[in-house]
Amino acid sequence: MNSKKINKKVIILIILFLALLLVGVIIYFFNKPNYIKNDIPYVDDNIDKKVELNSKEELLPKEIIASVPIFMYHFILSDYGNYPDTENFLKPETLEEQLKYISENGYQTIFMNEIESLYKYDKPVALTFDDCFVYFYNNAFPLLKKYNQKATICLIYNYINGENYLTDEQIKEMIDSGLVSVESHTLSHRELTTLSDEEERKEILESKEKLENDFNISLSTICYPVGDYNKDTINVAKEQYKYGLAMTGGMYHSNIHDLYSIPRIYANRTMPLSTYINYLKQSKVELVW
Ligand SMILES: [Zn+2]
């Protein structure tokens, strides 16, 4: 074997070695973990996401069949004054009795936007307040905080900051508490089926856009004023909302009711606590895996 041949072999070996080294270096850099890339203490920011994804995959059932009492309230006020429609007024003491029962008996208040993700709950109940006015902030919100319960408020956009209505600051404070979620009760509370197509669209869609922009939130639900709606109303609602709240009585059953005609139970001031409790007892969530 002459020295030229040996040299050639050595050179080939060196080239092979360098090529392998290069491949190794490339592989190393492509798989470099975050703690080396960023020169910061090792925190794999994908870990949480992975766990979340896995647990969600594990937790999510194929189907959720739920029966939920969704109570509809209006004004929470001790002194009804000269208001003609006193059925809509509930004394704070009555609301307190109900919240006390809810919290002491393991019922779980949910926001309207949770109505399709009830796998987290076994005894859900939703409390919805229409119109609200400042009475909600003065008389209901303190009770929600006392009993740590959630409520959905349906606001009339054009009334905000007006006489006896909620102010921007009050609404922000309630949203920040985590106990109150805001949904739309249109711009001006006019009966939707009496309006022109254009006006109806404006009432439904603009109220959502304005509330979302003003309070930096996402809305899911339109609450039809005085429970007045028809097919056209639903078609407009479907463009931007996931749910529509009606005023037909009775429990909400996920396997029966349309999400744009969700029934609510009128928690008026003449409803005895025993009736309220009977509705609560029908709350159930069945998971199909
Ligand atoms: Zn209303």
Side-chain angles (χ1 to χ4, degrees):
M1 207 179 272
N2 62 34
S3 64
K4 259 190 183 172
K5 269 191 178 169
I6 291 169
N7 279 346
K8 218 177 180 182
K9 273 193 173 174
V10 168
I11 288 165
I12 288 167
L13 278 174
I14 288 170
I15 289 169
L16 270 177
F17 174 76
L18 288 174
L20 278 173
L21 193 67
L22 189 66
V23 168
V25 167
I26 288 168
I27 288 171
Y28 172 77
F29 274 100
F30 269 93
N31 292 302
K32 210 174 175 189
N34 285 337
Y35 64 95
I36 296 178
K37 274 186 202 156
N38 301 330
D39 265 336
I40 52 165
Y42 178 54
V43 180
D44 186 345
D45 56 12
N46 285 321
I47 283 178
D48 279 346
K49 283 175 204 157
K50 276 179 211 151
V51 170
E52 215 175 77
L53 270 181
N54 286 341
S55 58
K56 262 187 194 162
E57 276 162 15
E58 281 160 17
L59 274 175
L60 278 181
K62 252 191 257 162
E63 203 187 340
I64 303 165
I65 303 166
S67 295
V68 186
I70 302 174
F71 290 103
M72 174 183 67
Y73 298 86
H74 284 83
F75 312 107
I76 306 301
L77 192 62
S78 291
D79 178 12
Y80 311 133
N82 292 322
Y83 284 103
D85 183 13
T86 51
E87 271 293 291
N88 273 337
F89 291 82
L90 201 76
K91 292 195 175 198
E93 301 91 272
T94 312
L95 179 65
E96 175 152 23
E97 264 181 4
Q98 296 169 347
L99 287 170
K100 194 165 183 280
Y101 189 89
I102 285 172
S103 63
E104 285 176 357
N105 292 278
Y107 291 98
Q108 302 140 324
T109 44
I110 60 157
F111 290 136
M112 272 317 300
N113 65 11
E114 296 179 283
I115 199 76
E116 283 183 289
S117 49
L118 293 171
Y119 54 90
K120 293 178 250 174
Y121 301 100
D122 49 12
K123 290 159 82 177
V125 49
L127 311 178
T128 65
F129 292 77
D130 291 10
D131 310 342
C132 290
F133 288 84
V134 72
Y135 318 124
F136 181 85
Y137 180 82
N138 291 341
N139 302 325
F141 183 48
L143 293 173
L144 293 176
K145 286 192 282 188
K146 182 173 174 185
Y147 293 96
N148 195 32
Q149 298 298 335
K150 299 193 279 193
T152 298
I153 58 175
C154 304
L155 301 184
I156 306 162
Y157 183 79
N158 289 348
Y159 287 16
I160 294 172
N161 296 319
E163 195 187 353
N164 283 336
Y165 210 76
L166 297 162
T167 65
D168 281 338
E169 288 68 32
Q170 290 165 340
I171 296 167
K172 274 180 199 142
E173 181 191 334
M174 293 193 288
I175 292 170
D176 289 345
S177 75
L179 296 176
V180 174
S181 82
V182 168
E183 300 292 356
S184 172
H185 201 26
T186 72
L187 288 177
S188 66
H189 205 266
R190 288 185 292 167
E191 290 180 37
L192 294 170
T193 64
T194 66
L195 304 178
S196 69
D197 289 354
E198 197 189 325
E199 281 178 313
E200 183 174 30
R201 289 184 66 80
K202 202 174 158 191
E203 288 283 336
I204 296 171
L205 302 176
E206 228 178 85
S207 57
K208 179 175 189 276
E209 198 187 325
K210 288 183 166 182
L211 285 167
E212 290 185 333
N213 288 338
D214 286 8
F215 300 104
N216 196 23
I217 51 174
S218 297
L219 268 64
S220 65
T221 307
I222 176 78
C223 177
Y224 314 118
V226 299
D228 177 52
Y229 68 101
N230 59 22
K231 273 186 187 164
D232 295 333
T233 317
I234 290 178
N235 284 334
V236 178
K238 278 183 175 169
E239 290 179 26
Q240 293 288 330
Y241 294 89
K242 290 171 81 179
Y243 315 113
L245 286 178
M247 285 173 67
T248 46
M251 299 280 294
Y252 164 72
H253 300 289
S254 67
N255 54 345
I256 296 175
H257 293 113
D258 184 274
L259 289 173
Y260 292 88
S261 305
I262 294 178
R264 291 184 294 167
I265 302 154
Y266 193 172
N268 60 26
R269 69 177 184 136
T270 50
M271 180 188 275
L273 184 63
S274 57
T275 306
Y276 193 90
I277 292 169
N278 277 340
Y279 281 117
L280 287 175
K281 285 185 173 161
Q282 296 173 58
S283 170
K284 67 167 189 237
V285 178
E286 192 189 317
L287 304 178
V288 182
W289 298 95

